Amino acid sequence: MSGGQLGVLNALDVAKTQWYHFTAIVIAGMGFFTDAYDLFCISLVTKLLGRIYYTDISKPKPGVLPPNVQAAVTGVALCGTLAGQLFFGWLGDKMGRKKVYGITLMLMVVCSIASGLSFGDTPNSVIATLCFFRFWLGFGIGGDYPLSATIMSEYANKKTRGAFIAAVFAMQGFGILAGGIVALIVSSAYDHKYKLPSYEENKTGSIVHSLDYVWRIILMFGAVPAALTYYWRMKMPETARYTALVARNAKQAASDMSKVLQVELEAEEDKLQHIVENDNQRYGLFSKEFAKRHGLHLVGTAVTWFLLDIAFYSQNLFQKDIFTAIGWIPPSQQMNAIHEVYRIARAQTLIALCSTVPGYWFTVAFIDYMGRFAIQLMGFFFMTVFMFALAIPYNHWSKKDNRIGFVVMYSLTFFFSNFGPNATTFVVPAEIFPARLRSTCHGISAAAGKAGAIVGAFGFLYAAQSKDPSKTDPGYPTGIGVKNSLIMLGVINFFGMVFTLLVPESKGKSLEELSGENEEDGPEAIEIAGSARTVPV
């Protein structure tokens, strides 16, 4: 540790794990719970939207969303998230983490409710208003990424910082699980009330008007956990690192952290003055100095997140298509609208329970022992292996007797994305950049990830279509098939391994040590900040 470390920041670094750490995890984590719920619950209701608004009873199969509508409904929130990550990431460094934190939460609450109230007298107008509100919902969700990660990293001690940031992110797993459970409860309740025939038995009778409420209730429930944590978010003090190193108010930082840590802390205004007058406290994001110290780090964090999210979102948003392909969900005409929601939700809940949630918590348990680099490299490696193991003998897995094996392998790719790069790509950008650029750089990395999610979500929608024109979904051109899509995802994961080599190991070091903020000016400072390289490259 450099001799320039402020006492208040050192106190946070060496603090024992205390109650305030857990309250910070819950407050930030509930935002992530809501993020995941809101982003992934749409995949539970898209088939239902197709049935309600696009069914033509003269056809042998119930309606599905046309390709452009499906792409808009599933992708518009991701576009909003990308914009929100860049905007609120930048704003978090300009105005402070806490001020912006409340704005993002209120945006999420209002837009979750508004999504469920989407109005219109034609299918197109309902979908258009739904897309409008989901874009702004995504915008709020985007702000939660850089702010939650930055707040948690700046509050945590250096010994268990990785586990704390990963625990915030792990709440995503519970959000995905909650989406499935809410859909199961709502669809079961409607099934008990209406007892509808399948589409094959009675085309008009398989859908009733009040099913329109099902998707609305599922979408609106996302507002509940966010609204519950608003009060606590507003009570959190600004992080000491922002107050001291960016706002340059040593007195306020010491006062806030004295209350949080329940110890007496000195303001040290002279020492702060000395630190902030250094040249290494002045360079901006687009300077040569930043490129020299952190340029490769930013490329590493952004590209690995981009590659990971192509694979992660193409799997997650289109799980239901894969389940249908292997026979877990019967053909749509053999079910009524509500059974289809139930089957999709049940399959998604099982995957979340068996692989998604455990994967996140494995990361929490091991990240401060194994380190970020090892977990990320291992995760990408196993994702590559399992993708190829699914893809190459794909015809074997699609036979009825081998379907359980397919689901186990598929679950393992999810497990290793979460006990791997899905968690570490979130953790590392919150640790390695200077305080005045931390939220912005995390936002840039996360936005690169969402760009990957958009590629995955839209690209897979078309790519996974069958090569046989008679087997494609209505309105879609022929694609390269599920098998070739999985091979592509395996190659993408391999490149994720390669770019992981640019990402530094941040285990057990203080944030100022990693960013070189405390170092005196000179070549050795650049060396220290730029050399947090994991392997010789």
Side-chain angles (χ1 to χ4, degrees):
M1 188 186 76
S2 161
Q5 176 89 329
L6 280 173
V8 63
L9 305 186
N10 189 40
L12 283 165
D13 278 342
V14 299
K16 287 191 171 71
T17 300
Q18 295 170 36
W19 184 243
Y20 81 87
H21 286 127
F22 293 108
T23 55
I25 288 169
V26 171
I27 292 164
M30 284 315 281
F32 256 84
F33 177 96
T34 309
D35 296 352
Y37 182 96
D38 288 334
L39 281 178
F40 293 113
C41 69
I42 196 70
S43 65
L44 299 168
V45 298
T46 46
K47 295 262 187 184
L48 180 61
L49 288 169
R51 280 188 186 243
I52 294 170
Y53 294 112
Y54 292 92
T55 292
D56 175 354
I57 53 170
S58 63
K59 301 270 171 68
K61 285 184 178 180
V64 294
L65 295 177
N68 58 338
V69 175
Q70 169 85 15
V73 168
T74 50
V76 72
L78 299 177
C79 297
T81 306
L82 189 154
Q85 284 162 337
L86 292 171
F87 177 71
F88 287 117
W90 169 79
L91 207 60
D93 282 334
K94 287 282 169 266
M95 285 174 57
R97 298 26 167 155
K98 183 194 165 175
K99 276 183 189 162
V100 184
Y101 214 27
I103 301 169
T104 62
L105 200 67
M106 281 319 294
L107 200 53
M108 282 153 61
V109 171
V110 170
C111 293
S112 280
I113 294 167
S115 298
L117 299 175
S118 298
F119 48 85
D121 51 5
T122 64
N124 284 352
S125 58
V126 173
I127 297 294
T129 49
L130 173 64
C131 287
F132 174 79
F133 289 123
R134 278 192 66 80
F135 176 85
W136 291 108
L137 172 66
F139 195 67
I141 289 170
D144 227 46
Y145 274 73
L147 294 166
S148 290
T150 303
I151 285 171
M152 199 63 240
S153 79
E154 293 183 346
Y155 263 109
N157 59 41
K158 62 183 179 184
K159 191 177 169 199
T160 53
R161 185 178 60 235
F164 288 159
I165 306 172
V168 168
F169 194 64
M171 295 296 278
Q172 251 199 351
F174 290 126
I176 295 169
L177 191 60
I181 291 167
V182 169
L184 287 174
I185 293 167
V186 174
S187 57
S188 297
Y190 268 78
D191 190 41
H192 279 295
K193 182 166 168 55
Y194 289 103
K195 302 260 183 278
L196 301 174
S198 73
Y199 185 81
E200 253 175 356
E201 293 163 353
N202 182 347
K203 290 178 180 175
T204 45
S206 70
I207 304 162
V208 291
H209 182 68
S210 64
L211 293 188
D212 198 43
Y213 292 113
V214 173
W215 66 269
R216 295 175 186 274
I217 293 166
I218 292 168
L219 294 186
M220 286 167 81
F221 187 81
V224 176
L228 292 175
T229 51
Y230 183 75
Y231 170 76
W232 299 107
R233 273 199 184 188
M234 291 299 89
K235 280 194 74 175
M236 269 179 111
E238 181 58 85
T239 70
R241 287 183 159 92
Y242 182 85
T243 309
L245 298 173
V246 186
R248 304 186 175 187
N249 188 340
K251 205 178 255 181
Q252 188 64 48
S255 159
D256 287 345
M257 291 311 111
S258 294
K259 288 176 198 154
V260 169
L261 296 167
Q262 296 176 330
V263 293
E264 208 50 52
L265 292 167
E266 212 183 316
E268 300 186 297
E269 287 169 327
D270 293 342
K271 190 188 269 191
L272 176 64
Q273 197 58 34
H274 176 68
I275 290 171
V276 298
E277 279 172 3
N278 269 350
D279 280 352
N280 63 14
Q281 279 287 348
R282 291 194 187 131
Y283 62 83
L285 182 65
F286 299 106
S287 63
K288 277 185 186 168
E289 188 75 3
F290 179 85
K292 212 181 288 178
R293 289 168 180 258
H294 299 293
L296 281 177
H297 297 167
L298 189 57
V299 170
T301 57
V303 174
T304 50
W305 207 336
F306 173 77
L307 295 170
L308 162 83
D309 270 8
I310 293 177
F312 187 77
Y313 275 80
S314 61
Q315 290 179 80
N316 224 337
L317 285 170
F318 301 101
Q319 270 182 11
K320 60 180 186 298
D321 299 328
I322 290 174
F323 290 138
T324 305
I326 60 159
W328 255 35
I329 295 170
S332 57
Q333 64 270 26
Q334 291 173 19
M335 297 180 282
N336 64 40
I338 212 70
H339 283 166
E340 190 168 39
V341 174
Y342 183 86
R343 291 289 187 105
I344 293 165
R346 189 178 65 179
Q348 208 146 308
T349 306
L350 267 173
I351 287 282
L353 204 55
C354 301
S355 67
T356 311
V357 174
Y360 283 118
W361 291 98
F362 264 74
T363 303
V364 174
F366 292 109
I367 192 166
D368 288 310
Y369 298 100
M370 290 171 65
R372 289 72 163 147
F373 177 77
I375 288 178
Q376 187 161 313
L377 205 61
M378 173 197 75
F380 270 129
F381 172 76
F382 281 113
M383 283 170 76
T384 308
V385 168
F386 288 122
M387 282 289 185
F388 285 135
L390 283 172
I392 294 162
Y394 182 72
N395 295 338
H396 165 83
W397 295 119
S398 57
K399 292 189 182 115
K400 204 164 189 176
D401 298 344
N402 306 322
R403 281 174 185 164
I404 297 299
F406 181 94
V407 173
V408 169
M409 298 280 276
Y410 183 72
S411 296
L412 282 169
T413 60
F414 259 98
F415 175 80
F416 279 107
S417 70
N418 294 320
F419 180 32
N422 195 33
T424 53
T425 51
F426 177 78
V427 172
V428 177
E431 300 181 305
I432 60 176
F433 299 107
R436 67 190 179 283
L437 300 170
R438 187 170 290 133
S439 176
T440 306
C441 290
H442 194 285
I444 291 168
S445 303
K450 278 297 164 286
I454 292 164
V455 171
F458 292 127
F460 199 79
L461 191 58
Y462 288 90
Q465 294 298 325
S466 173
K467 294 181 196 173
D468 178 352
S470 65
K471 290 183 181 172
T472 61
D473 290 340
Y476 286 88
T478 53
I480 57 172
V482 175
K483 175 177 176 167
N484 291 335
S485 299
L486 288 168
I487 290 173
M488 274 174 65
L489 294 176
V491 172
I492 286 165
N493 289 327
F494 173 77
F495 279 107
M497 280 169 65
V498 174
F499 278 94
T500 296
L501 301 178
L502 296 176
V503 179
E505 180 55 78
S506 48
K507 180 180 83 168
K509 294 175 181 170
S510 82
L511 296 177
E512 288 67 43
E513 208 176 332
L514 286 160
S515 63
E517 281 170 287
N518 285 342
E519 306 301 331
E520 297 301 323
D521 306 338
E524 68 284 351
I526 297 170
E527 190 58 36
I528 286 166
S531 71
R533 195 74 72 246
T534 2
V535 289
V537 283

